[in-house]
Amino acid sequence: METIREITEEEARAIYHEGEEAVVSVILSMSQTIVAMNQNIIQLTERVRVLEDRVAKNSSNSGKPPSSDNPFDKPAPKSQRKRHGRSTGGQPGHEGHTLKVVPDPDYEVIYQVTNCQQCHSSLETVPVTQSDYRQVFDIPAIRMEVTQHTAEIKVCPGCGCENKAKFPAGVEQPVQYGPEVKALAVYLNQYQMIPLERVSELFYDLFGQSLAEGTILNANQTVAEQVQGVNEAIKVHLTDHEAAVHFDETGVGINGKLHWLHSASTSRLTHYAVHAKRGQAAMEAIGILPQMKGRAIHDGWASYFAYLEVEHALCNAHHLRELEFLKDRYSQGWEIEMMSLLREMKERVDHSRSEHIPLSSEQIAQFVQRYDALIEEGLRANPLAKEDPSQPKKRGKVKKSKPRNLVERLKEHKSATLAFLHDTNVPFDNNQAERDIRMVKVKQKVSGCFRSTIGAAIFCTVRAYISTARKNGQSILNALRLALVGTPYLPAFVSSYA
């Protein structure tokens, strides 16, 4: 592209004296240069806008995780929830949880009154009129106990056969750890996310016995093997019997390579699986979504919509964050009204469910009509760029602005966006899946990555079992103990599908 330079007075007069054709030629040349510069300016302006949009995105106005925020310029928290106006702490009527006096303490220490504080007379033979007491809750010194299993050996005097008593199931080695130790080790490593070395240190500090890292890993593997059937039963139940299942995925490092952890869950069940791919190949291999009979709730990842026979529901918390981004960067007006409408819908649906009174068809129709009107307003505010016939056509999809992309998605997936209005089994957002997948990110922060796919698979299997037990009000330690002795916990409502 030619650049425009300043023409001196002498050059201008010389062109003028050359005649009309010379003047026209110079003007046309300058016009072409200006047009080319304008096109370049438009391209650079668009590029700057794209880069500024990228910088402006954070966890409060997009789907980016909080860990990706600039630590030196973190955005101020912008909760999508409304202020409830109540003071912090326990609310009126809350029972509270505090230490209470127990009627049968384990130990009692009596402090006697031997002399009068005033006249110093002996009171040893004076009867006690009343007592005052205080109770101290504490943990006794912890020690590991050793049980020796002794099997008798007897020789039959009749035939000379040597007979040996059988050891109980699980007692197989000359020296070994019992299920309580193994359950605690798995609990600390898999549930509390404490690294292997620190679990070993903790055992030494508490019990005076340092566990080898291999012992902890073997305990993890034993639990994973024992609960494999439980996870398969959960998978079948999620596929065939749940009305709505939450899906999400997140990247995990395995041996230095990016893999993806996929979750499928409800408020009562959790299933995890690791795969090298994020999209449809992984979903096919896991096998829940392709055969699902209920509704899939997710954040709009394109691979989910490949399953046309499955009903879908989208996470509106994601939509609110994207609309927040548009408000900050473009401020067209319709996006603010759309945010207000979605929140109003949620509030009305929550109230109707709490009162067990479904929304009427007229109320739903009014909400849908307002939604459609805002979509049309958004489309008018973001028209598609007109093609320049003088420019060669580009291959692939036409590039669109952020507002246009969002409003088109809200229109295309209208039924999935408003599914919570029509179906009482569908929540407003996909927070259940995000809560279930959050602990995986904590694991990554603690350990960085998994060393092998086997280790990642063990974590998924054990963690899904723990999550399901916790959702159903079970003690995690007890659930791990049951798994180690061969009778893992399985929720009663999925037992018949195991």
Side-chain angles (χ1 to χ4, degrees):
M1 182 185 70
E2 296 182 5
T3 59
I4 299 178
R5 65 176 181 84
E6 184 179 1
I7 299 177
T8 64
E9 183 178 346
E10 291 77 8
E11 291 175 329
R13 291 184 181 279
I15 294 170
Y16 175 77
H17 288 300
E18 287 181 10
E20 181 180 347
E21 291 299 324
V23 173
V24 171
S25 177
V26 170
I27 292 175
L28 290 175
S29 177
M30 292 181 65
S31 175
Q32 292 174 356
T33 303
I34 291 172
V35 169
M37 289 184 66
N38 283 339
Q39 290 177 347
N40 194 35
I41 290 171
I42 292 172
Q43 292 175 356
L44 291 174
T45 302
E46 176 64 18
R47 185 177 180 184
V48 169
R49 187 188 63 78
V50 170
L51 293 174
E52 287 181 343
D53 283 351
R54 188 180 302 172
V55 172
K57 284 187 176 182
N58 53 56
S59 60
S60 67
N61 59 17
S62 71
K64 297 180 67 175
S67 59
S68 67
D69 291 336
N70 184 349
F72 302 105
D73 188 26
K74 278 190 173 292
K78 292 183 180 180
S79 175
Q80 302 290 351
R81 299 186 180 93
K82 289 186 177 181
R83 296 281 184 181
H84 49 62
R86 299 190 295 268
S87 59
T88 59
Q91 302 301 310
H94 178 60
E95 294 182 2
H97 302 283
T98 185
L99 288 178
K100 296 181 180 179
V101 173
V102 297
D104 51 347
D106 298 291
Y107 303 99
E108 183 179 12
V109 180
I110 298 176
Y111 302 94
Q112 297 180 335
V113 178
T114 58
N115 296 93
C116 177
Q117 296 176 357
Q118 183 172 338
C119 67
H120 305 291
S121 300
S122 175
L123 301 177
E124 292 182 0
T125 59
V126 177
V128 177
T129 55
Q130 62 183 29
S131 298
D132 187 15
Y133 57 86
R134 298 174 182 179
Q135 293 185 347
V136 177
F137 290 68
D138 207 345
I139 298 174
I142 304 175
R143 59 180 297 272
M144 192 175 293
E145 64 180 20
V146 180
T147 300
Q148 178 171 303
H149 296 263
T150 302
E152 293 182 341
I153 300 175
K154 295 182 179 181
V155 178
C156 177
C159 65
C161 176
E162 185 177 85
N163 300 274
K164 181 179 179 180
K166 292 183 178 180
F167 288 106
V171 179
E172 300 166 351
Q173 304 296 328
V175 179
Q176 66 180 70
Y177 290 109
E180 298 290 340
V181 171
K182 293 179 181 179
L184 181 58
V186 176
Y187 172 86
L188 294 172
N189 180 239
Q190 297 289 303
Y191 183 63
Q192 299 296 348
M193 309 291 188
I194 302 177
L196 296 172
E197 184 178 354
R198 290 176 57 193
V199 172
S200 181
E201 292 176 358
L202 188 148
F203 265 83
Y204 181 78
D205 291 338
L206 286 180
F207 309 112
Q209 183 73 36
S210 179
L211 254 65
E213 293 186 7
T215 301
I216 304 171
L217 291 173
N218 288 336
N220 290 337
Q221 185 171 355
T222 300
V223 172
E225 292 171 353
Q226 293 291 339
V227 304
Q228 190 64 45
V230 173
N231 286 339
E232 287 299 320
I234 290 172
K235 177 179 173 179
V236 171
H237 188 86
L238 291 173
T239 305
D240 295 341
H241 301 280
E242 285 292 337
V245 180
H246 296 259
F247 292 89
D248 202 358
E249 68 287 327
T250 187
V252 294
I254 300 178
N255 197 22
K257 295 182 179 180
L258 177 64
H259 286 64
W260 294 89
L261 184 140
H262 297 256
S263 74
S265 61
T266 66
S267 61
R268 303 182 297 175
L269 302 172
T270 304
H271 183 275
Y272 295 131
V274 169
H275 197 275
K277 300 294 183 180
R278 182 186 183 186
Q280 195 172 354
M283 297 171 185
E284 290 289 336
I286 294 168
I288 295 178
L289 194 59
Q291 308 297 328
M292 257 193 66
K293 295 179 174 58
R295 189 186 292 267
I297 306 171
H298 50 85
D299 57 8
W301 178 243
S303 297
Y304 290 110
F305 288 112
Y307 298 97
L308 302 178
E309 296 181 0
V310 176
E311 290 186 296
H312 297 270
L314 291 179
C315 175
N316 284 295
H318 277 72
H319 291 150
L320 288 176
R321 287 196 290 268
E322 291 184 85
L323 291 165
E324 182 74 27
F325 173 79
L326 298 189
K327 179 174 74 72
D328 294 341
R329 293 288 299 157
Y330 295 87
S331 188
Q332 297 174 339
W334 69 271
E335 76 283 355
I336 298 176
E337 293 185 43
M338 181 63 81
M339 292 170 67
S340 177
L341 175 61
L342 289 175
R343 290 186 178 121
E344 183 183 346
M345 289 179 182
K346 179 183 184 302
E347 186 176 346
R348 190 73 63 84
V349 168
D350 289 345
H351 177 74
S352 68
R353 289 177 182 175
S354 65
E355 298 293 329
H356 303 288
I357 302 174
L359 291 178
S360 66
S361 57
E362 291 79 9
Q363 290 175 311
I364 294 176
Q366 289 176 3
F367 278 134
V368 173
Q369 185 178 6
R370 291 168 60 188
Y371 180 89
D372 291 339
L374 289 175
I375 292 296
E376 293 304 316
E377 184 179 342
L379 291 172
R380 289 193 299 270
N382 300 279
L384 292 173
K386 295 182 179 180
E387 294 186 6
D388 188 349
S390 64
Q391 298 294 323
K393 290 187 176 181
K394 296 182 179 180
R395 300 177 65 181
K397 293 182 178 180
V398 178
K399 194 169 184 180
K400 302 173 185 176
S401 66
K402 296 289 184 183
R404 181 75 190 195
N405 278 328
L406 177 57
V407 74
E408 285 188 359
R409 279 191 282 118
L410 290 175
K411 181 177 182 179
E412 179 184 1
H413 302 303
K414 169 184 168 182
S415 61
T417 302
L418 302 182
F420 72 100
L421 267 180
H422 307 275
D423 189 345
T424 57
N425 295 306
V426 177
F428 178 78
D429 51 44
N430 196 31
N431 285 351
Q432 179 66 60
E434 295 188 2
R435 285 193 297 268
D436 287 325
I437 217 163
R438 185 176 299 141
M439 289 300 102
V440 180
K441 309 310 291 185
V442 174
K443 174 69 173 178
Q444 285 183 268
K445 289 181 180 180
V446 172
S447 303
C449 67
F450 294 98
R451 296 180 183 177
S452 67
T453 53
I454 295 176
I458 288 175
F459 172 82
C460 288
T461 303
V462 176
R463 188 75 205 190
Y465 172 72
I466 288 174
S467 176
T468 297
R470 186 172 181 270
K471 287 178 178 180
N472 288 276
Q474 301 298 307
S475 163
I476 305 303
L477 266 175
N478 186 56
L480 292 171
R481 186 184 304 113
L482 291 173
L484 286 164
V485 299
T487 57
Y489 167 75
L490 181 66
F493 58 91
V494 298
S495 297
S496 58
Y497 310 119

